[in-house]
Amino acid sequence: MLHGVFDRLPFTRLKGFIWLTLILLLIAVLLGKWSQLNKRLEETKVKLTVSNFYNNAVSLRNLWELNDKPNYMTVNNIDLSFTALGWPIVIESKQINCDKMWFLLSGDQETSPYITLSNKRTVNSNGYNSCEYQIIDGKGLELSYENETIQIDGFLTQITL
């Protein structure tokens, strides 16, 4: 009788090993899929932010047109001016205020902890600096002005107005 118990022990160990292997394989597959899904979510977030910037810039330009092309306007407690072609711009101390442009064009009134202003650099267009926003892991968008026209370039997508 004792002999039958010892015969089942290797089979039970083998069965447990097979289950453990299957569970670890399932976990590895799920982690791989999670990584792919997370990457696509990050890309979608950048695309949506670029699209939101574009739509809000167009809305502000339309508002400029409807209000008889004023030089200045206040929107969401932000004083903004317009380029010669009517694109919104917030200038302070002869530079674009990137933080206020973010609030104005993204629609966010509070800074998200995942979105930071990572860089400002000068472009050779009418003396305006550009704003580069890093959204996730080097992915983001750049806001600049060329020939009095706003440029919104995503690191993954590109939309030029």
Side-chain angles (χ1 to χ4, degrees), residues 54-70 73 75 80 82 85-88 161:
Y54 169 79
N55 290 332
N56 286 331
V58 169
S59 294
L60 288 170
R61 188 172 188 284
N62 289 339
L63 188 62
W64 174 77
E65 289 270 351
L66 290 173
N67 285 314
D68 243 359
K69 301 178 181 181
M73 187 181 291
V75 176
L80 64 117
F82 296 91
L85 297 177
W87 295 106
L161 301 176

Side-chain angles (χ1 to χ4, degrees), residues 30-47:
L30 289 176
L31 285 176
K33 291 295 181 183
W34 176 258
S35 176
Q36 290 174 354
L37 179 64
N38 196 31
K39 181 179 178 185
R40 289 192 359 224
L41 287 173
E42 289 176 354
E43 291 174 358
T44 301
K45 183 174 183 176
V46 172
K47 289 177 183 178

Side-chain angles (χ1 to χ4, degrees), residues 90-144:
V90 179
I91 299 286
E92 292 180 357
S93 302
K94 298 181 181 180
Q95 296 291 322
I96 298 173
N97 185 318
C98 295
D99 291 325
K100 288 184 180 179
M101 288 300 295
W102 175 263
F103 290 132
L104 189 66
L105 296 180
S106 73
D108 285 345
Q109 293 304 312
E110 294 181 19
T111 304
S112 170
Y114 303 106
I115 301 171
T116 59
L117 174 64
S118 65
N119 189 17
K120 293 181 192 177
R121 58 190 169 99
T122 304
V123 295
N124 296 327
S125 174
N126 299 330
Y128 297 133
N129 63 310
S130 65
C131 303
E132 189 175 288
Y133 303 96
Q134 182 177 5
I135 297 174
I136 299 171
D137 295 331
K139 298 173 181 82
L141 67 90
E142 180 181 14
L143 172 70
S144 61

